[in-house]
Amino acid sequence: MSITVIYTIVTLVVIGAAAAVILYFVAQKFKVYEDPRIDEVEGALPGANCGGCGFAGCRAFAEACVGASELNDLNCPVGGNDTMSGVASILGLEAVQQDPRMAFIRCNGTCDHRPKTSSFDGAGTCAIASSVYSGESDCQYGCLGYGDCFDACDFDAIVMHPETGIPEIIDDKCVACGACVEACPKDLIELRKKMPKNRKVVVACRNMDKGGVAKKACEVACIGCSKCFKECPFDAITMENNLAYIDSDKCKLCRKCVPVCPTNAIQELNFPPRKVKPAEKEECTTT
Amino acid sequence: MLKTFKIGGVHPPENKLSKDKAIEVLPLPQKVFIPVAQHIGAPATPVVKRGDVVKVGQVIAKSRSFVSTNIHSSVSGKVTKVDFSADSSGYPKHGIFIDVEGDEWEETIDRTETLVKDITIDGPAIIQKIQDAGIVGLGGATFPTHVKLVPPQGMKAEVLLINGVECEPYLTSDHRLMLEKADEIMVGIQLLMKAMNVEKAVIGIENNKPDAIKLLSEKCKEYKGLSVVALKVQYPQGGEKQLINAVTGKEVPSGALPIAVGAVVSNVGTAFAVYEAIQKNKPLFERVVTITGKGVSKPANFKVRVGTATSELVEAAGGLPEDTGKIISGGPMMGRAISSLDIPVTKGTSGILLMQEKESSRQEVLNCIRCSRCTNVCPMGLEPYLLMTLGEKQIFDRAEKERVMDCIECGSCSYTCPSSRPLLDYIRFGKGKVGQIIRSRKK
């Protein structure tokens, strides 16, 4: 073995040892203490990084959980109560049960119900269309159908109906992250309390025009007649700006409001067929 | 060689179909809808209520802030309601509905055609009168004129530029006005000069209007400090910054107002409105509107009362052609497609263009081929392809750095794109969002 090889090995060993010593001291000097529970909590989270909790990703949420003294305001809508109990047990805090929620699109203005009065051929996103004009029908509140919510959904829970052009939410896939709520420029999507078997009684309309104007623009518009408001035994319905709204936290799914609605703006979904008036039910849930 | 602005620009087919048609007076409509927001700035507050009888020229909505203007009744009759009605975008706008009865004008208005040359009032009084008369920039931007005439602290206007460019294809309302009301425009310019205390005014006119250039050049000899500059035909020369660059050679810095280079720009239509407001005591309630299009049987220039429905104009021009694809309020480059014929003519409506189906429909969007035509034609020296991507991907901080706020929305990029990409759609979207971000930062 030549002397060159020996020198090389010795030099490299010396450099390596010196670097190791330097790195050790640097690492000690600049050490950042991180609570090991953050990693643990992050591991318990779904890892979708959807932002549904209001934080920038799961790690930020985990940090917030570890730093919090109670979990009242913190909720991972994707994981739900199981995940939050897991997080609570890691942190030794009390788990807070939250009602699971799911998205609902408050517009049923399909082409059959809402005649087109103009057409738009600009760039096809809801954000652009809504900034330049009110929509292809006379209803300025309704769904534009360019699918900004579809693009925003990370969970494949929204599909654009091929015939009506109105998005539909697949209840089982929706995790209530709220990305679609943010994306909709018409503010049509609402996160409602999840009921057993995904049952819903909802006003599928956001039209705040007076009755005549609303009805002219769309057959299934809420005309603000207040019949449902008077019918509701649980005070779940409020009237504001010519528009009825059913509070999902108060609604007991009695369905008394559905038959009184003169325009079929109130929808009942995922219920078994009604015995008395099957025809009416069919009309209400065609889409 | 003729002057023009230095960077970018396009030259679309001119199609000035109505340039030889003298201005006609459109018959009074049965009813009008007068929006209270016809200008940039705060909407005016209605001061009439249902059942009130109004005269032509009466104030029906008052401005409550500096950047805002009064709205006057364009007809005489009874106010039927003060309510909302859809504007060109389809969104409801507040306004006043009036049923027309007769044509009774306010007594103070001088309805004769005699030219009043003598200027009897001083600068501040002129500005006050312009404000009271509800005058806005009639080139299309509808910025309140009295605001423009008061320069910010420490700045001084040196030259008044009068915009007679009318670079939009099809439109001829300014051209006709220059030919028929040349003397009045001259007096209007004198009034504006006095209000701003400037010695020099230059009228910029594109070379496709040789008759107007000749006429106004002759008239200029009678007045002090006035001159006409013939400009090479190039869109968007009517843009404020482009016109300044074309006439004076100066460049307005990014984000600054024209006053930064000592210039104030006003349209010829505005100059005429100023003449009428001060010499004839007539507030702004009517304007010249071009109604045109390749399929239109009688393209024309009409003097129209504000608030008249678009359908009245279309009827007067021979009805709606069958192959109409889009109805555009304004010119083909910067105008807006309207969704209903009920939409009224406002102070900013320079023309109604009925575009044929094949002319107006958009082509299939293809991929960007990096040909750089959009960057070559952009009159503001921006990179439209990049700004479009930034708008599409919603990267607004980068868009702000790439000066998206400098975009004047002239549409040259979309016009020239061989792949028919909707450049301006996305840029305008990005500009709107960046504007919101900047405003929220200031708060």
Side-chain angles (χ1 to χ4, degrees), chain B residues 241 252-258 260 380 403 405-407:
Chain B
K241 290 168 185 175
V252 182
S254 169
L257 292 168
M380 298 304 291
R403 300 190 291 129
M405 294 311 285
D406 280 359
C407 173

Side-chain angles (χ1 to χ4, degrees), chain A residues 118 121-123 125 127-128 130 132-134 140 186, chain B residues 89-92 326 336 339 361-362 422 425-426 429:
Chain A
S118 58
D121 65 354
T125 79
I128 290 180
S130 72
V132 294
Y133 94 137
S134 63
Q140 50 154 323
K186 299 277 187 184
Chain B
S89 64
Y91 288 113
K326 274 182 192 166
R336 294 178 69 116
S339 52
S361 55
R362 294 209 193 190
D425 298 54
Y426 282 100
F429 169 67

